[in-house]
Amino acid sequence: MTDLILHHYEMSPYSEKVRRMLAFTGLGWQSVRAPAVMPKPDLTALTGGYRKIPVLQRGNHVYCDTALIARVLGRLAPRAGLFADPMAETLAEWADSALFELVVPTAMRPTRLDDLMRWMTPDELSALRDDRQAMRADAPKKPLRSALAGVYLAQYLERLDHVLATRAFLLGDAACVADFAAYHATWFLERVAPEPLAPHANLRAWMGRIAAIGPSGEGPALSSSDALSICRASTTQTEPPATWSDPMQLAYGELVRVRALDYGREPVEGQLVGSAPNELTLRREDERAGTVFVHFPRLGYEIEPLAARER
């Protein structure tokens, strides 16, 4: 039985990014169907407040943000080559941010409702718009208005189509993390508002190649309470490292607050027990989940000490 647990829901584009990467790496996983809208009490018991989907769980370690989840999968299955090309991670970052942010205004005016109706409950559908507005209420950058986003999106899709005219995948003959990051945006378009994809035959053929990667590796479904029990039963602990260096001069074990820079900025608080160039780890205690280690990428997140410091 695999120890990877993915908290996701069917219509989540970022979840589809991870589902496709799991298929590509051949890693087995178990599925927890998370709510599409708040409240998410079992998920936030694991994360300490982080509400975005998906979240990857291994025992009492919880990984937030698909950029970090991709690195975890890359470490577990290095031969798959998610990061084989040096440009892969940079291109993936563009697709996760600039490309997807142009899809959002288009998706908010859906022309297809089949998958939405099939994959989301009536309560989720009725609350979706208000939930997403609340999620972005304190975002420093607002989505472009729909008409302008459509103009920009057409340019990006044309560029991707041009690249894919001469190669099977974005950076060559094999898929990498950049493909899965770009695919999740086009996958979402295809399901809710596919019209911008129609002129781009090369892009649509590439989407078919990504969709054909498999098998999925998905194992038996778990309930969110099962996932909490697995977390609570896990015994992972950490010891202070022999050497400690943090670029912001934060101390090992210091109480800190981490939150996203873009949207979904609910803070997570805990003790800083991991500081790497591209990853932060907080240890926190939860009444229901027990001791949990919550991991974040460093890029795209801010971290600050909870206690006031002398100047």
Side-chain angles (χ1 to χ4, degrees), residues 27-288:
L27 294 166
W29 56 286
Q30 296 182 87
S31 169
V32 173
R33 205 285 185 179
V37 298
M38 292 292 272
K40 306 177 183 183
D42 291 345
L43 179 74
T44 53
L46 287 172
T47 65
Y50 180 86
R51 51 121 348 133
K52 293 182 181 179
I53 291 293
V55 165
L56 185 70
Q57 177 186 348
R58 294 188 76 197
N60 62 343
H61 287 258
V62 173
Y63 299 89
C64 302
D65 197 292
T66 61
L68 178 57
I69 292 172
R71 293 192 199 106
V72 173
L73 301 184
R75 292 196 294 260
L76 293 174
R79 295 181 65 181
L82 274 173
F83 297 91
D85 192 295
M87 277 298 297
E89 196 165 18
T90 298
L91 184 54
E93 185 178 336
W94 165 81
D96 280 340
S97 54
L99 176 61
F100 187 72
E101 284 301 299
L102 295 177
V103 169
V104 171
T106 303
M108 294 304 287
R109 297 170 176 264
T111 57
R112 282 190 58 203
L113 296 173
D114 294 355
D115 287 334
L116 284 170
M117 299 295 290
R118 179 162 55 95
W119 286 342
M120 299 181 73
T121 69
D123 287 345
E124 288 173 336
L125 284 168
S126 65
L128 186 62
R129 183 177 293 273
D130 288 344
D131 180 82
R132 294 307 187 263
Q133 288 177 347
M135 188 178 182
R136 292 175 175 269
D138 62 346
K141 183 180 179 181
K142 303 301 180 185
L144 292 177
R145 55 189 173 86
S146 181
L148 186 58
V151 172
Y152 289 5
L153 178 61
Q155 289 292 310
Y156 279 163
L157 295 179
E158 176 61 33
R159 292 179 187 181
L160 290 172
D161 189 76
H162 182 69
V163 168
L164 292 163
T166 57
R167 62 188 73 175
F169 298 98
L170 291 178
L171 292 174
D173 295 330
C176 65
V177 68
D179 290 277
F180 299 108
Y183 175 76
H184 92 279
T186 59
W187 174 89
F188 195 45
L189 270 181
E190 185 178 44
R191 271 144 190 80
V192 297
E195 290 81 4
L197 297 171
H200 306 299
N202 301 317
L203 183 60
R204 288 185 280 106
W206 163 83
M207 291 174 64
R209 290 191 287 274
I210 299 290
I213 292 172
S216 73
E218 182 177 357
L222 295 176
S223 69
S224 57
S225 60
D226 290 335
L228 281 174
S229 297
I230 289 169
C231 182
R232 189 168 53 249
S234 298
T235 58
T236 302
Q237 294 294 333
T238 58
E239 297 292 334
T243 60
W244 174 265
S245 176
D246 179 79
M248 297 187 67
Q249 306 304 309
L250 296 167
Y252 176 87
E254 186 169 0
L255 290 173
V256 297
R257 176 186 294 116
V258 172
R259 61 180 179 174
L261 288 172
D262 50 7
Y263 58 89
R265 287 171 46 79
E266 289 83 354
V268 178
E269 298 178 356
Q271 291 180 291
L272 182 66
V273 296
S275 175
N278 58 12
E279 187 172 341
L280 299 163
T281 306
L282 306 190
R283 180 175 58 208
R284 45 179 306 275
E285 300 293 330
D286 184 87
E287 182 178 350
R288 300 173 63 212

